[in-house]
Amino acid sequence: MRYLTAGESHGKQLTTIIEGIPSHLPLLKDQINESLIRRQGGYGRGKRMQIEKDLVEVTSGVRHGYTLGSPITLVVHNDDFKHWIDIMGEDPLPEDTQKIRRTVTKPRPGHADLNGGMKYGHRDMRNVLERSSARETAARVGAGAVAKVLLKELGIEVTGYVREIAGIVSEVDEDLSLKERREISEASPVRTFDEAAAEKMMHAIDAAKKEGDTIGGVTEVYVEGMPPGIGSYVQYDRKLDAKIAGSVMSINAYKGVEFGIGFEAARRNGSQVHDEILWDETKGYRRRTNRLGGFEGGMTTGMPIVVKGVMKPIPTLYKPLQSVDIETKEPFNASIERSDSCAVPAASVVMEHIVAFELAKAITEEFPSDYFPRLKRAVDDYRQEVREF
């Protein structure tokens, strides 16, 4: 199971091609649209979200509400492209045109501009920033939305929310169920739990916007229903937590990942880190605590998966940092593109879908996955097997 995305930030459309989804999985485009709409929300978003209304067009792989087993193609059209045809169009420029409009020769600190220009030989770094833009995450959320449908049909639920913005921490009752976490966080403008912390977060976002600055934070994804033993300890590249960590780090502006108590484990004794194993006839094996976030030895334990991601402040600033013009080598302030003062609430949705895809991929690798009813039977049989182990 895999996917590819294509498209530029101000291009005609974003395209996602997903391969490896089993046949006969019930799938509606409204399920994908729900995720795309959630990604566009959240306090601190910029004007781009008022321009683009992300809705998906499914152009292959689904017939009459069920997947075919062939590649699924998702298309999200960019409504703003009509204003960018002469800047981003694929046709050659007219002969009487002397200059490409809106070229970028001043790389922005914190972006892919300069490194990408060096690598691919682009003197106009718009060719870099248009693809490296976080706009591409809309295509990835589309892939994750399909994965979430697959997981839900197998009794696996995934949700994401915000734990911290600008150093303001929102506490959560660890005994809350996934359903409760989802309902509470989705009702919050910043997708978090603590109302007092949420108010402080919004004030911090407003202050950053007023100052032309940006702020980052910490997002968390919580998963219930994942069977134990998914992943493997036998090779480094088969460890599922490592795959998830790599996938989270691939999200724009993410700079760190941790599972369970994460880095806090470095400050505790072993007796306060590891999770004691319990057993009963009804549930089988479980852990007394979940400090390791649902993973041991690169495999799921059957406990809820808890993974956090650290998002740095977006580097596009309305009070731009100093850069160097690659043509003149003179210092200048970096160019300004439309930006959010804080994208952490939206990023929690992106991370949720990124993790969902990795989990669905792991399930389809573990069990026969060409035909969904066969996959479901295999997962149900496995759950019974490990319960009786």
Side-chain angles (χ1 to χ4, degrees):
M1 185 171 155
R2 59 179 179 163
Y3 68 91
L4 290 173
T5 71
E8 284 73 46
S9 181
H10 294 98
K12 287 183 180 179
Q13 65 184 45
L14 297 172
T15 304
T16 310
I17 298 178
I18 313 167
E19 186 178 39
I21 297 293
S23 69
H24 293 80
L25 173 71
L27 179 64
L28 303 174
K29 68 179 181 181
D30 286 349
Q31 294 170 300
I32 305 170
N33 284 334
E34 180 183 352
S35 291
L36 292 172
I37 292 168
R38 285 180 61 221
R39 173 194 165 274
Q40 290 194 287
Y43 202 80
R45 295 291 259 161
K47 293 181 179 179
R48 180 73 185 268
M49 296 305 107
Q50 300 169 17
I51 298 170
E52 303 290 2
K53 302 300 180 186
D54 289 347
L55 296 174
V56 73
E57 181 180 356
V58 181
T59 62
S60 75
V62 180
R63 184 182 183 205
H64 303 319
Y66 287 87
T67 58
L68 302 177
S70 51
I72 297 172
T73 304
L74 310 178
V75 173
V76 176
H77 296 283
N78 285 340
D79 294 336
D80 199 30
F81 178 67
K82 58 182 176 287
H83 299 123
W84 288 76
I85 295 175
D86 59 342
I87 302 169
M88 291 299 298
E90 72 274 17
D91 294 328
L93 291 171
E95 292 183 4
D96 59 350
T97 299
Q98 299 295 312
K99 184 179 178 183
I100 298 176
R101 288 185 57 204
R102 298 195 61 169
T103 59
V104 177
T105 61
K106 301 165 188 171
R108 300 163 299 167
H111 279 275
D113 301 355
L114 181 58
N115 302 333
M118 290 175 173
K119 178 178 177 65
Y120 291 101
H122 292 308
R123 303 299 297 183
D124 177 2
M125 285 171 291
R126 178 163 298 284
N127 295 330
V128 178
L129 68 88
E130 285 287 340
R131 177 59 184 171
S132 64
S133 165
R135 174 73 182 145
E136 187 262 354
T137 61
R140 301 183 73 186
V141 166
V146 175
K148 281 186 65 178
V149 172
L150 171 64
L151 293 172
K152 187 172 183 178
E153 291 288 330
L154 297 173
I156 303 165
E157 295 270 9
V158 185
T159 194
Y161 41 81
V162 172
R163 291 298 301 266
E164 182 178 337
I165 290 178
I168 302 161
V169 178
S170 177
E171 300 298 336
V172 58
D173 181 352
E174 297 299 339
D175 292 330
L176 287 177
S177 68
L178 182 143
K179 181 181 179 182
E180 292 169 324
R181 291 168 189 251
R182 177 187 290 148
E183 289 175 351
I184 296 171
S185 62
E186 285 299 305
S188 166
V190 285
R191 290 202 173 96
T192 197
F193 302 96
D194 184 336
E195 290 186 9
E199 286 293 328
K200 293 178 182 178
M201 290 175 180
M202 288 187 283
H203 287 315
I205 292 169
D206 291 341
K209 184 176 181 179
K210 185 177 180 179
E211 295 168 5
D213 216 330
T214 58
I215 52 179
V218 177
T219 57
E220 182 171 282
V221 173
Y222 187 86
V223 184
E224 287 182 348
M226 196 70 176
I230 307 302
S232 180
Y233 63 90
V234 302
Q235 289 288 358
Y236 72 95
D237 59 349
R238 294 178 61 189
K239 296 184 180 224
L240 181 53
D241 52 356
K243 292 180 180 181
I244 290 173
S247 188
V248 170
M249 283 295 291
S250 74
I251 304 171
N252 302 58
Y254 271 69
K255 303 301 288 184
V257 184
E258 63 178 23
F259 292 85
I261 63 171
F263 290 102
E264 175 63 25
R267 296 181 284 271
R268 297 188 184 185
N269 292 337
S271 60
Q272 296 299 311
V273 171
H274 302 287
D275 304 308
E276 293 182 312
I277 299 172
L278 307 176
W279 181 87
D280 63 58
E281 292 185 3
T282 304
K283 297 180 180 179
Y285 295 96
R286 60 187 176 87
R287 303 302 190 276
R288 188 186 301 276
T289 55
N290 193 30
R291 300 178 187 124
L292 298 184
F295 280 96
E296 290 175 349
M299 300 169 292
T300 54
T301 64
M303 295 292 286
I305 294 172
V306 184
V307 53
K308 295 184 183 71
V310 177
M311 184 185 192
K312 69 178 182 179
I314 292 173
T316 300
L317 306 176
Y318 283 99
K319 54 174 187 182
L321 300 173
Q322 182 175 306
S323 182
V324 175
D325 191 314
I326 65 169
E327 297 298 341
T328 67
K329 303 301 188 288
E330 294 293 325
F332 282 93
N333 287 334
S335 63
I336 300 174
E337 298 289 325
R338 283 184 301 211
S339 180
D340 306 325
S341 53
C342 178
V344 178
S348 70
V349 178
V350 176
M351 182 176 162
E352 171 186 320
H353 289 77
I354 295 301
V355 172
F357 193 89
E358 288 299 325
L359 296 177
K361 181 180 178 182
I363 288 285
T364 59
E365 289 175 349
E366 191 81 29
F367 304 98
S369 57
D370 292 323
Y371 175 48
F372 181 72
R374 186 182 301 131
L375 170 62
K376 190 174 188 312
R377 286 195 300 270
V379 173
D380 289 344
D381 289 345
Y382 177 73
R383 282 195 171 107
Q384 184 63 32
E385 178 185 333
V386 295
R387 189 178 297 119
E388 298 173 351
F389 180 77

